[in-house]
């Protein structure tokens, strides 16, 4: 049976990506070697990294002022790398607190300097995006989270800022067009919308680097990864190969503009059912709803085992909500077909027929 994988991450990838990755595990490009045993410095491995970087630049129209790097440690290490590279000694930064991942970023930044939480939606369990705030001009940078994977909210616009803007885009990168020039650091763990787990991408404005007065540990230094073309140390060739294949797939879907239309269609299909169906309620404020992660709950918790049985029987997997929200979360990343969302909607309708 076909599995409809609504996982929030690691996420579904296109079948052809899994196919080509598995071939490369046995025999990479007919070289007689597995991609897992070759040196990351071999020319054909270098090409995997270079192509991945090139594809990100092309798909997001990254301006020449910015460079793309792939490192490890996930978005969680970016929580640390950002203040190391952007916050002056005895400096400060402004953070927008929109969920658990934003809180994670704040926690790490506090270890290096003064963090001002300029707005928060903690008062409503992060079910909305705060809008009533201004970014101060006397901080080293402003940090926000574009899509709150756990709570199902998404920033539809970004505030004016006279200081560098840093954004964690782990769970909506490459899901729609983006003006990269408005940001100074964008980072995203690969496993949400870019590829398998094992790498994290950062897009860095080179002009904002080298201004902190810090002696940055080498691995944490963006400039070193830029200088080394993301090959400062042994990088995960198989994982980046997965990223490269997924980016090629995305390009063939018409790039971010093409996929964005399908993502909108998927989100609209599901949210209209959540709103229409009397047995469910969406948890995020309507205007801030995420196109990637839709969170909703049953109005009658007593029916939980019945609903769970129905979606599992339909081949749906990973629909349970995060423990901080409860209920359900349908993650609809790029590779999830519209057809899978239709299967979920059909289950919701059948559930209503039975119990409504
Ligand atoms: C998943 C996620 C993270 C954490 O990513 P890791 O790669 O596991 O460290 C950070 N931010 C957001 C928005 C996420 O969705």
């Amino acid at each position: 049976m076909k599995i409809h994988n609504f996982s929030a991450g690691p996420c579904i990838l296109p079948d052809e990506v899994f196919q080509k990755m598995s071939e490369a595990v046995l025999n990479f490009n007919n070289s007689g070697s597995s991609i897992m045993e070759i040196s990351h410095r071999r020319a054909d491995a270098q090409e995997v990294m270079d192509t991945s970087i090139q594809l990100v630049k092309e798909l997001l129209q990254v301006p020449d002022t910015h460079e793309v790097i792939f490192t490890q440690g996930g978005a969680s290490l970016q929580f640390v790398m950002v203040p190391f590279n952007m916050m002056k000694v005895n400096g400060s930064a402004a953070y927008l607190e929109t969920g658990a991942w934003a809180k994670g970023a704040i926690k790490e930044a506090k270890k290096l300097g003064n963090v001002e939480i300029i707005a928060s939606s903690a008062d409503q369990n992060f079910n909305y995006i705060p809008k009533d705030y201004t970014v101060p001009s006397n901080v080293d940078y402003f940090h926000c989270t574009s899509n709150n994977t756990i709570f199902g909210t998404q920033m539809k616009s970004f505030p004016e800022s006279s200081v560098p803007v840093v954004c964690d885009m782990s769970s909506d990168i490459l899901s729609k067009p983006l003006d990269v020039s408005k940001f100074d650091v964008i980072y995203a763990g690969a496993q949400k919308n870019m590829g398998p787990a094992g790498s994290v991408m950062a897009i860095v404005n080179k002009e904002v680097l080298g201004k902190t007065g810090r002696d940055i540990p080498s691995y944490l230094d963006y400039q070193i990864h830029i200088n080394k073309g993301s090959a400062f140390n042994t990088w995960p060739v198989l994982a980046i190969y997965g990223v490269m294949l997924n980016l090629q797939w995305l390009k063939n879907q018409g790039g971010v503009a093409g996929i964005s239309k399908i993502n909108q269609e998927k989100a609209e299909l599901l949210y209209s059912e959540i709103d229409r169906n009397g047995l469910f309620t969406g948890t995020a404020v309507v205007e801030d709803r995420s196109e990637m992660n839709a969170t909703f709950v049953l109005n009658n918790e007593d029916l939980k085992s019945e609903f769970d049985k129905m979606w599992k029987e339909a081949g749906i997997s990973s629909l349970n909500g995060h423990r901080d929200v409860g209920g359900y979360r349908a993650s609809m990343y790029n590779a999830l077909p519209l057809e899978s969302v239709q299967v979920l909607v059909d289950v919701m309708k059948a559930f209503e027929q039975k119990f409504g």
Side-chain angles (χ1 to χ4, degrees), residues 73-77 79 101 145 147 149 168 170-171 189 191-192:
S76 296
L77 192 60
F79 296 167
W101 295 120
T145 310
N147 186 71
T149 325
D168 176 359
S170 291
S171 52
Q191 72 276 12
K192 301 282 164 51

Side-chain angles (χ1 to χ4, degrees), residues 73-76 78 168-171 173 187-202:
S76 296
Q78 293 303 307
D168 176 359
M169 297 194 184
S170 291
S171 52
I173 190 83
Y187 62 89
Q191 72 276 12
K192 301 282 164 51
N193 209 19
M194 245 182 332
S199 76
V200 52
M201 184 203 60

Side-chain angles (χ1 to χ4, degrees), residues 31-85:
S31 65
S33 302
S34 165
I35 193 166
M36 294 169 77
E37 65 182 341
I38 66 170
S39 165
H40 57 292
R41 305 216 179 275
R42 227 169 78 167
D44 48 358
Q46 287 279 333
E47 197 184 319
V48 169
M49 179 61 88
D50 296 345
T51 306
S52 302
I53 291 171
Q54 201 45 50
L55 280 163
V56 171
K57 288 182 176 173
E58 195 181 319
L59 288 163
L60 292 176
Q61 292 167 25
V62 175
D64 289 342
T65 43
H66 291 54
E67 192 49 82
V68 174
I69 56 173
F70 283 94
T71 60
Q72 295 181 66
S76 296
L77 192 60
Q78 293 303 307
F79 296 167
V80 181
M81 284 172 76
V82 163
F84 261 110
N85 286 273

